[in-house]
Amino acid sequence: MQHILDAITAEASSEDFAALALPESYRAMTVHKDEVDMFEGQASRDKDPRKSLHLDEVPMPELGPGEAFVAVMASAINYNTVWTSIFEPVSTFGFLERYGRESSFGARHNLPYHIVGSDLAGVVLAVGPGVTKWKAGDRVVAHCLSVELEAPDGHNDTMMDPSQRIWGFETNFGGLADVAMVKANQLMPKPEHLTWEEAASPGLVNCTAYRQLVSSNGGNMKQGDNVLIWGASGGLGGFATQYALNGGANPICVVSNEEKAQIVRNMGAEHVINRSELAPKFWNDEGTQQNPKEWQRFGKAIRELTGGEDIDIVFEHPGRETFGASVYVTRKGGTITTCASTSGYMHEYDNRYLWMNLKRIISSHFANYRESWEANRLIAQGKIHPTLSRTYTLEETGQAALDVHHNKHQGKVGVLCLAPEEGLGVKNAELREKHLDKINLFRGV
């Protein structure tokens, strides 16, 4: 891989990149199919990604029509990598097996190992037949929506394609590696005021937040909306907070400690609820019964911040722990947008507060092609910024995933792949200097 890294460092021409010999194998973070039962009987929190994630040397796959190989300079950790590494809620090898049954090209993904990772920033190495927009040497990031678009369902909204998958989670050959294989229509221009690790970090969460909050497929946020954002300094919440502020809404940011409260204040948020101070106890100790009086107390705390107004849109992603409260505090006719469910998938709420007050629950999952491009465009314009707090080496991916699993991180956690050190890859120094404080907001926290 050194000759590829040398070409990237030297900013070689497209012709020179196209002439590079592709490696026969490359480094990749994998989980192994024969280890899917390794954590059986353990509580979720006790499952350790450092034991299940392996740095392997894997063979280059066959490149198919409409696909591209990308030399990965940096990637990032998302919750889907954590879920993959602890084999919850199901083993991802079931996804790969189903993909393998679809076609001979899908069969390439059905392997006894799964290369994980749904973010990247890097350089195109080669493209398959039929690719005309991208060429070897292009500097890119990738969104993680993989679709076939052979059925009519996805042509108004690519997320509705029956073959919709999340690359690096429901497909193989993900971004936590020296080389990734993607569909070429996943590629987008790299924001050139950012380093490789900064450019890799927004991907999945930025696009997800855009659809869930801004898009007409999600919350359809407008100026003046009161938006309740759970985990407002986290991977998803950090972008939701930016979109609310950037779009003229009023974010009500829920965080777990004063350190995180200061982060969202530094982002420009005025209304902050520190859960460690308010200490809402939505569930009893056994986790079997919710307490409506605590919903009411939480709603009162919100109205004290908003001048007596209720919530227009809830940006919901914790799931089971918070969902009952989210439904309760939303105004009549308001919207709860939901994804992820990091505290549990089995949501419970009092339907009287939903049904009799004409509230809506909207499910939101990643983003379609257009939404992904719009989200990346805002990053490139310097209107939305990375939330990168820390970067690990590829060898340290297991530790990075463990830190995310135990919520020891802020914002996003990056991973260097081919990049030998942080700070490389910037081409637009002028734009970077203009936004440097916001780019570095999550650093050192």
Side-chain angles (χ1 to χ4, degrees), residues 24 26 58-64 69 108 111 115 173 179-181:
E24 294 183 0
Y26 61 96
V58 299
M60 287 284 284
E62 173 193 358
L63 188 64
F69 285 140
R108 295 170 300 162
L111 297 169
I115 305 169
F173 315 117
V179 176
M181 188 173 73

Side-chain angles (χ1 to χ4, degrees), residues 287-302:
T288 58
Q289 187 77 33
Q290 295 192 68
N291 186 349
K293 290 184 177 180
E294 288 294 276
W295 300 344
Q296 295 167 9
R297 189 165 72 91
F298 184 58
K300 181 181 178 182
I302 291 170

